[in-house]
PDB file of all heavy atoms in Angstrom:
ATOM      1  N   MET O 115      -6.809   4.688  12.841  1.00 98.00           N
ATOM      2  CA  MET O 115      -7.059   3.433  13.700  1.00 98.00           C
ATOM      3  C   MET O 115      -5.787   2.586  13.895  1.00 98.00           C
ATOM      4  O   MET O 115      -5.769   1.940  15.036  1.00 98.00           O
ATOM      5  CB  MET O 115      -8.118   2.573  12.991  1.00 98.00           C
ATOM      6  CG  MET O 115      -9.473   2.933  13.204  1.00 98.00           C
ATOM      7  SD  MET O 115     -10.571   1.895  12.238  1.00 98.00           S
ATOM      8  CE  MET O 115     -10.016   0.131  12.728  1.00 98.00           C
ATOM      9  N   HIS O 116      -4.935   2.574  13.067  1.00 97.00           N
ATOM     10  CA  HIS O 116      -3.685   1.872  13.131  1.00 97.00           C
ATOM     11  C   HIS O 116      -2.466   2.833  13.279  1.00 97.00           C
ATOM     12  O   HIS O 116      -2.254   3.607  12.245  1.00 97.00           O
ATOM     13  CB  HIS O 116      -3.489   1.033  11.856  1.00 97.00           C
ATOM     14  CG  HIS O 116      -4.636   0.140  11.576  1.00 97.00           C
ATOM     15  ND1 HIS O 116      -5.788   0.553  10.841  1.00 97.00           N
ATOM     16  CD2 HIS O 116      -4.859  -1.217  11.937  1.00 97.00           C
ATOM     17  CE1 HIS O 116      -6.560  -0.593  10.807  1.00 97.00           C
ATOM     18  NE2 HIS O 116      -6.091  -1.622  11.417  1.00 97.00           N
ATOM     19  N   ASN O 138     -11.219   4.252  17.158  1.00 97.00           N
ATOM     20  CA  ASN O 138     -11.835   2.956  17.260  1.00 97.00           C
ATOM     21  C   ASN O 138     -13.089   2.856  16.172  1.00 97.00           C
ATOM     22  O   ASN O 138     -13.795   1.861  16.489  1.00 97.00           O
ATOM     23  CB  ASN O 138     -12.318   2.641  18.651  1.00 97.00           C
ATOM     24  CG  ASN O 138     -11.121   2.617  19.601  1.00 97.00           C
ATOM     25  OD1 ASN O 138     -10.100   1.914  19.280  1.00 97.00           O
ATOM     26  ND2 ASN O 138     -11.205   3.327  20.627  1.00 97.00           N
ATOM     27  N   GLU O 162      -8.750  -5.725   5.902  1.00 98.00           N
ATOM     28  CA  GLU O 162     -10.018  -5.717   6.581  1.00 98.00           C
ATOM     29  C   GLU O 162     -10.513  -4.586   6.736  1.00 98.00           C
ATOM     30  O   GLU O 162     -11.863  -4.441   6.579  1.00 98.00           O
ATOM     31  CB  GLU O 162      -9.597  -6.286   8.045  1.00 98.00           C
ATOM     32  CG  GLU O 162      -9.024  -7.745   8.247  1.00 98.00           C
ATOM     33  CD  GLU O 162      -7.401  -7.751   8.134  1.00 98.00           C
ATOM     34  OE1 GLU O 162      -6.836  -6.747   7.730  1.00 98.00           O
ATOM     35  OE2 GLU O 162      -6.910  -8.744   8.535  1.00 98.00           O
ATOM     36  N   ARG O 165     -12.080  -3.346   3.360  1.00 98.00           N
ATOM     37  CA  ARG O 165     -13.258  -4.296   3.102  1.00 98.00           C
ATOM     38  C   ARG O 165     -14.438  -3.834   3.819  1.00 98.00           C
ATOM     39  O   ARG O 165     -15.595  -3.732   3.213  1.00 98.00           O
ATOM     40  CB  ARG O 165     -12.864  -5.676   3.270  1.00 98.00           C
ATOM     41  CG  ARG O 165     -13.952  -6.569   2.700  1.00 98.00           C
ATOM     42  CD  ARG O 165     -13.951  -6.697   1.169  1.00 98.00           C
ATOM     43  NE  ARG O 165     -13.588  -7.922   0.697  1.00 98.00           N
ATOM     44  CZ  ARG O 165     -13.065  -8.207  -0.564  1.00 98.00           C
ATOM     45  NH1 ARG O 165     -13.069  -7.186  -1.334  1.00 98.00           N
ATOM     46  NH2 ARG O 165     -12.812  -9.412  -0.895  1.00 98.00           N
ATOM     47  N   ARG O 267     -16.853 -15.747  -0.046  1.00 97.00           N
ATOM     48  CA  ARG O 267     -17.528 -16.879   0.634  1.00 97.00           C
ATOM     49  C   ARG O 267     -17.804 -16.338   2.084  1.00 97.00           C
ATOM     50  O   ARG O 267     -17.014 -16.904   3.058  1.00 97.00           O
ATOM     51  CB  ARG O 267     -16.566 -18.041   0.507  1.00 97.00           C
ATOM     52  CG  ARG O 267     -16.402 -18.689  -0.918  1.00 97.00           C
ATOM     53  CD  ARG O 267     -17.744 -19.194  -1.347  1.00 97.00           C
ATOM     54  NE  ARG O 267     -18.196 -20.238  -0.424  1.00 97.00           N
ATOM     55  CZ  ARG O 267     -17.925 -21.532  -0.558  1.00 97.00           C
ATOM     56  NH1 ARG O 267     -17.079 -22.110  -1.504  1.00 97.00           N
ATOM     57  NH2 ARG O 267     -18.362 -22.501   0.281  1.00 97.00           N
ATOM     58  N   TYR O 271     -15.720 -17.122   5.656  1.00 89.00           N
ATOM     59  CA  TYR O 271     -14.843 -16.162   6.256  1.00 89.00           C
ATOM     60  C   TYR O 271     -15.366 -15.835   7.688  1.00 89.00           C
ATOM     61  O   TYR O 271     -14.664 -15.406   8.679  1.00 89.00           O
ATOM     62  CB  TYR O 271     -14.757 -14.730   5.502  1.00 89.00           C
ATOM     63  CG  TYR O 271     -14.484 -14.956   4.100  1.00 89.00           C
ATOM     64  CD1 TYR O 271     -15.154 -14.164   3.208  1.00 89.00           C
ATOM     65  CD2 TYR O 271     -13.629 -15.883   3.667  1.00 89.00           C
ATOM     66  CE1 TYR O 271     -14.869 -14.275   1.775  1.00 89.00           C
ATOM     67  CE2 TYR O 271     -13.338 -15.973   2.156  1.00 89.00           C
ATOM     68  CZ  TYR O 271     -13.989 -15.122   1.389  1.00 89.00           C
ATOM     69  OH  TYR O 271     -13.706 -15.331  -0.015  1.00 89.00           O
TER      70      TYR O 271
ATOM     71  N   MET T 115     -12.276 -22.931  -3.793  1.00 98.00           N
ATOM     72  CA  MET T 115     -13.410 -22.409  -2.987  1.00 98.00           C
ATOM     73  C   MET T 115     -14.227 -21.415  -3.784  1.00 98.00           C
ATOM     74  O   MET T 115     -15.353 -21.174  -3.368  1.00 98.00           O
ATOM     75  CB  MET T 115     -12.923 -21.747  -1.600  1.00 98.00           C
ATOM     76  CG  MET T 115     -12.562 -22.755  -0.591  1.00 98.00           C
ATOM     77  SD  MET T 115     -11.835 -21.816   0.855  1.00 98.00           S
ATOM     78  CE  MET T 115     -13.038 -20.557   1.130  1.00 98.00           C
ATOM     79  N   HIS T 116     -13.536 -20.658  -4.585  1.00 97.00           N
ATOM     80  CA  HIS T 116     -14.200 -19.640  -5.310  1.00 97.00           C
ATOM     81  C   HIS T 116     -14.117 -19.943  -6.703  1.00 97.00           C
ATOM     82  O   HIS T 116     -13.132 -20.085  -7.414  1.00 97.00           O
ATOM     83  CB  HIS T 116     -13.448 -18.187  -5.164  1.00 97.00           C
ATOM     84  CG  HIS T 116     -13.378 -17.864  -3.671  1.00 97.00           C
ATOM     85  ND1 HIS T 116     -12.310 -18.185  -2.863  1.00 97.00           N
ATOM     86  CD2 HIS T 116     -14.096 -16.932  -2.885  1.00 97.00           C
ATOM     87  CE1 HIS T 116     -12.478 -17.611  -1.744  1.00 97.00           C
ATOM     88  NE2 HIS T 116     -13.549 -16.861  -1.736  1.00 97.00           N
ATOM     89  N   ASN T 138     -15.260 -26.292   0.478  1.00 97.00           N
ATOM     90  CA  ASN T 138     -15.644 -25.344   1.531  1.00 97.00           C
ATOM     91  C   ASN T 138     -14.534 -25.379   2.745  1.00 97.00           C
ATOM     92  O   ASN T 138     -14.865 -24.932   3.870  1.00 97.00           O
ATOM     93  CB  ASN T 138     -16.896 -25.960   2.238  1.00 97.00           C
ATOM     94  CG  ASN T 138     -18.098 -25.910   1.237  1.00 97.00           C
ATOM     95  OD1 ASN T 138     -18.388 -24.863   0.605  1.00 97.00           O
ATOM     96  ND2 ASN T 138     -18.768 -27.034   1.034  1.00 97.00           N
ATOM     97  N   GLU T 162      -9.606 -12.186   2.188  1.00 98.00           N
ATOM     98  CA  GLU T 162     -10.093 -12.825   3.441  1.00 98.00           C
ATOM     99  C   GLU T 162      -9.395 -14.330   3.513  1.00 98.00           C
ATOM    100  O   GLU T 162      -9.121 -14.755   4.578  1.00 98.00           O
ATOM    101  CB  GLU T 162     -11.620 -12.915   3.482  1.00 98.00           C
ATOM    102  CG  GLU T 162     -12.354 -11.633   3.644  1.00 98.00           C
ATOM    103  CD  GLU T 162     -12.613 -11.035   2.255  1.00 98.00           C
ATOM    104  OE1 GLU T 162     -12.046 -11.452   1.200  1.00 98.00           O
ATOM    105  OE2 GLU T 162     -13.545 -10.131   2.163  1.00 98.00           O
ATOM    106  N   ARG T 165      -5.729 -14.256   4.250  1.00 98.00           N
ATOM    107  CA  ARG T 165      -5.338 -13.867   5.663  1.00 98.00           C
ATOM    108  C   ARG T 165      -5.711 -14.940   6.643  1.00 98.00           C
ATOM    109  O   ARG T 165      -4.942 -15.256   7.486  1.00 98.00           O
ATOM    110  CB  ARG T 165      -6.267 -12.625   5.937  1.00 98.00           C
ATOM    111  CG  ARG T 165      -6.037 -12.052   7.422  1.00 98.00           C
ATOM    112  CD  ARG T 165      -4.667 -11.258   7.356  1.00 98.00           C
ATOM    113  NE  ARG T 165      -4.741  -9.861   7.597  1.00 98.00           N
ATOM    114  CZ  ARG T 165      -3.793  -9.064   7.187  1.00 98.00           C
ATOM    115  NH1 ARG T 165      -2.651  -9.449   6.773  1.00 98.00           N
ATOM    116  NH2 ARG T 165      -4.105  -7.736   7.425  1.00 98.00           N
ATOM    117  N   ARG T 267      -6.254  -4.549  14.102  1.00 97.00           N
ATOM    118  CA  ARG T 267      -7.218  -4.216  14.951  1.00 97.00           C
ATOM    119  C   ARG T 267      -8.302  -5.327  15.096  1.00 97.00           C
ATOM    120  O   ARG T 267      -9.400  -4.980  14.735  1.00 97.00           O
ATOM    121  CB  ARG T 267      -7.829  -2.735  14.716  1.00 97.00           C
ATOM    122  CG  ARG T 267      -6.831  -1.674  14.741  1.00 97.00           C
ATOM    123  CD  ARG T 267      -6.272  -1.548  16.164  1.00 97.00           C
ATOM    124  NE  ARG T 267      -7.330  -1.257  17.105  1.00 97.00           N
ATOM    125  CZ  ARG T 267      -7.895  -0.001  17.404  1.00 97.00           C
ATOM    126  NH1 ARG T 267      -7.395   1.079  16.797  1.00 97.00           N
ATOM    127  NH2 ARG T 267      -8.883   0.142  18.145  1.00 97.00           N
ATOM    128  N   TYR T 271     -12.237  -5.568  13.689  1.00 89.00           N
ATOM    129  CA  TYR T 271     -12.649  -6.319  12.556  1.00 89.00           C
ATOM    130  C   TYR T 271     -13.652  -7.338  12.920  1.00 89.00           C
ATOM    131  O   TYR T 271     -14.505  -7.810  12.074  1.00 89.00           O
ATOM    132  CB  TYR T 271     -11.422  -6.991  11.813  1.00 89.00           C
ATOM    133  CG  TYR T 271     -10.275  -6.090  11.602  1.00 89.00           C
ATOM    134  CD1 TYR T 271      -8.996  -6.584  11.699  1.00 89.00           C
ATOM    135  CD2 TYR T 271     -10.379  -4.822  11.234  1.00 89.00           C
ATOM    136  CE1 TYR T 271      -7.868  -5.874  11.534  1.00 89.00           C
ATOM    137  CE2 TYR T 271      -9.209  -4.131  10.997  1.00 89.00           C
ATOM    138  CZ  TYR T 271      -7.951  -4.562  11.108  1.00 89.00           C
ATOM    139  OH  TYR T 271      -6.893  -3.845  10.810  1.00 89.00           O
TER     140      TYR T 271
END
Side-chain angles (χ1 to χ4, degrees):
Chain O
M115 278 177 53
H116 302 85
N138 297 314
E162 293 92 341
R165 188 70 114 202
R267 293 294 304 270
Y271 313 143
Chain T
M115 277 175 53
H116 302 84
N138 297 314
E162 293 91 341
R165 187 69 114 202
R267 293 295 303 272
Y271 313 143

